[in-house]
Amino acid sequence: MEEEPARPAAPAAPTPPDAPQTAAAPEPPPVDEAAPVDEAAPDAAAGGSRRRGRTTLLIAAAAVLGLVAGTCTGVLVQAGREPTKLPPLSQAALARGEGAAPKPLPADQDRRVRTDGDLRELLLKKPRGAREIEWLDGVDGWMDLATYVGTFGSPSEQFSEYVHDDFRRAAVTRWKTGATRTVEIRLIQFHQEEVLSALEGSDTGRHWAGWGREDDTDRWPIPGTGDGEVFVHNRPESVDGSPPLYSAEAHAWRGDIEMEIWMADTERIGKDQIMDLARRQMERL
């Protein structure tokens, strides 16, 4: 007769015949029947989980109540204070000046009156013995914008630049002395509402006169003009197949007016000759 297998300490629950076999649950510890059962204790079979949202909710509610209480306290404290007086909206009456008002400057001292007048009157006069040049551009001493930018290498580009710079008008004079020497003086005036266009124009002219031909050019400052300069080019150049010519130029500005002086000759031009013209022209401005 085969030996019966050992039985567990407590009989296991009967297993349905069709259900798969599972491992036997461990035997629960003995329960003391005399001990009271705590129904509020968490269920051990449920994994012993504990809800933690209640503590966080209490802390948040306390913080909100603290903010509300602090705000209410501040309002009550401020309401109990006396209102701060505002400064008066009107200023104290100024004392009336005594004596006669200063007289306006005469036209020969008020630069604005001079420069708003006939710009051609500020140009140097043709020296005695000099001859006028028949191919003088402009009409009766004036140069319009199209004529002025036509003296540059890229007229269309310069036209846009001078429109942007608030070009106002330009006056010009030219003369010829001796057999070959020519002189041209231009005064270019700007509205100058937003940009110091006269200063920028003078800087551009000095740039091309000095740095554009740095190897063969001498330069000197014009006294009393700040950054005005004269330039003497020591190498002759030919333009459009014409005979080679020496040249000199001067660039300066004052207020809303830019000054340009150009000299050309078959012989080299001296420093004193271009400097004298530049100095006298700037004195008239």
Side-chain angles (χ1 to χ4, degrees), residues 90-280:
S90 61
Q91 298 289 336
L94 298 176
R96 187 177 183 84
E98 298 180 358
K103 296 181 179 180
L105 290 174
D108 59 346
Q109 297 182 18
D110 190 339
R111 186 190 60 82
R112 190 69 177 181
V113 172
R114 291 172 56 82
T115 58
D116 281 348
D118 191 341
L119 194 60
R120 298 170 299 177
E121 295 296 329
L122 299 181
L123 287 165
L124 281 178
K125 303 303 180 182
K126 178 172 62 68
R128 183 177 302 175
R131 304 181 302 278
E132 292 186 358
I133 301 177
E134 297 179 356
W135 41 270
L136 179 64
D137 293 333
V139 179
D140 195 19
W142 293 107
M143 292 182 74
D144 57 21
L145 180 56
T147 302
Y148 176 66
V149 299
T151 63
F152 291 85
S154 54
S156 59
E157 180 179 345
Q158 292 299 322
F159 188 91
S160 300
E161 289 290 335
Y162 277 89
V163 169
H164 175 269
D165 291 342
D166 288 336
F167 174 90
R168 179 180 175 184
R169 56 182 178 170
V172 59
T173 183
R174 287 176 176 169
W175 62 76
K176 185 175 183 179
T177 57
T180 56
R181 175 161 299 184
T182 60
V183 175
E184 178 178 341
I185 303 176
R186 304 172 188 165
L187 299 180
I188 303 95
Q189 191 172 33
F190 301 87
H191 290 289
Q192 235 170 219
E193 295 178 354
E194 297 181 358
V195 184
L196 294 177
S197 304
L199 168 61
E200 292 186 357
S202 177
D203 284 346
T204 302
R206 292 189 300 113
H207 169 78
W208 290 111
W211 291 277
R213 298 181 57 180
E214 186 175 6
D215 296 338
D216 67 332
T217 299
D218 296 326
R219 58 196 300 174
W220 299 272
I222 304 173
T225 63
D227 53 5
E229 290 181 284
V230 297
F231 304 83
V232 173
H233 305 298
N234 300 310
R235 186 181 70 244
E237 287 189 336
S238 177
V239 180
D240 298 332
S242 61
L245 294 174
Y246 290 92
S247 61
E249 54 190 290
H251 299 273
W253 68 284
R254 181 160 294 167
D256 56 358
I257 297 177
E258 174 193 357
M259 179 206 72
E260 300 175 355
I261 299 179
W262 308 86
M263 297 182 67
D265 200 348
T266 54
E267 298 179 356
R268 185 181 180 278
I269 301 170
K271 166 193 172 183
D272 294 340
Q273 296 167 331
I274 182 68
M275 181 68 75
D276 178 65
L277 284 177
R279 180 182 55 79
R280 291 191 291 119

Side-chain angles (χ1 to χ4, degrees), residues 7-21:
R7 297 177 181 271
T15 304
D18 296 337
Q21 296 292 329

